[in-house]
Amino acid sequence: TELFLDSVLRQNKSVMELVTARYTFLNEKLAKHYGIPNITGSHFRRVDLPAGNPRGGLLGQGSLQILTAYTTRTSAVLRGKYVLENLLSSPPPPPPPNVPSLNTEKSGQALSMKEAMQLHRANPACASCHAKMDPIGFALENFDAIGRYRTEDNGKPLDISSALPDGTKVEGIEGVRQLVLRNPDMFVEAMVSKLLMYGLGRN
């Protein structure tokens, strides 16, 4: 991730490259984690990605997916909140006090993340904020808690399609990319704010 950011900065590329890049930086170990063949050795190098590969740009980075998950499971809330706050400069309000923990089982059966969140959102106090965060997080469910790509959760096919309150459909990582690209001013504002915080050493 640091090599990717460094390359965009030092080559003076458009900040939008952080979303649209069709390449990443890999060594053999990370390439295996990403399921990308024919990369050998411990040194990192730029690798162009084939069409349709989800690993391009910041959103495809395993580091970002791990950062926005718990140790044992994914979190649609953490991932949706991260995108809103850090990529779209639209942080959601803080949660109300005494929010109940997420129940991931029903009648002894494991629930998918989407099923568990639907039960959680039945509480009206929770529903309004989750309506903005969860569709983005659900779209990123192809990445597990350590950033591996998957198509199933607990043996069930993943449902990575949702809609935002305004009716905008978000499906898969490409849907999240398009959401960011439809709001370039918000993305640029978020990046400038983060760079300023970094440069000043304060938020």
Side-chain angles (χ1 to χ4, degrees):
T1 301
E2 289 176 359
L3 288 170
F4 172 63
L5 291 167
D6 187 72
S7 73
V8 172
L9 180 66
R10 292 185 186 279
Q11 295 175 39
N12 198 29
K13 294 186 175 180
S14 164
V15 71
M16 301 310 293
E17 185 103 350
L18 297 176
V19 181
T20 62
R22 304 309 306 163
Y23 60 88
T24 192
F25 287 79
L26 301 173
N27 65 1
E28 183 174 356
K29 190 177 283 189
L30 187 57
K32 284 182 178 176
H33 184 64
Y34 283 7
I36 296 174
N38 306 319
I39 306 294
T40 58
S42 61
H43 67 286
F44 280 84
R45 81 293 312 253
R46 176 179 157 147
V47 175
D48 291 328
L49 298 166
N53 189 288
R55 294 296 180 176
L58 279 178
L59 287 166
Q61 300 273 327
S63 57
L64 188 144
Q65 303 302 338
I66 291 170
L67 178 72
T68 56
Y70 294 114
T71 53
T72 58
R73 66 169 176 84
T74 60
S75 171
V77 174
L78 291 180
R79 287 178 175 168
K81 180 178 184 288
Y82 183 92
V83 171
L84 287 172
E85 192 169 70
N86 294 289
L87 304 184
L88 290 173
S89 199
S90 304
N98 304 318
V99 175
S101 59
L102 187 66
N103 186 359
T104 57
E105 287 188 3
K106 185 179 181 182
S107 304
Q109 296 293 314
L111 298 170
S112 71
M113 178 59 60
K114 197 166 191 178
E115 291 167 337
M117 288 306 301
Q118 283 169 342
L119 287 175
H120 181 73
R121 284 203 313 270
N123 182 342
C126 303
S128 60
C129 289
H130 282 285
K132 292 182 179 180
M133 293 185 290
D134 294 358
I136 297 170
F138 292 145
L140 297 171
E141 272 291 291
N142 283 129
F143 298 98
D144 70 10
I146 60 169
R148 287 177 303 203
Y149 194 81
R150 62 186 181 162
T151 57
E152 294 183 349
D153 181 26
N154 291 320
K156 298 178 182 177
L158 285 166
D159 180 2
I160 55 168
S161 179
S162 290
L164 293 167
D166 66 0
T168 301
K169 291 186 177 179
V170 186
E171 183 170 355
I173 187 171
E174 195 55 40
V176 179
R177 282 196 186 102
Q178 292 307 313
L179 179 66
V180 175
L181 292 174
R182 280 196 295 271
N183 299 280
D185 291 345
M186 295 170 75
F187 178 70
V188 170
E189 180 182 328
M191 292 300 105
V192 171
S193 298
K194 297 298 178 186
L195 284 170
L196 184 60
M197 282 187 245
Y198 179 76
L200 293 177
R202 59 188 292 186
N203 58 23

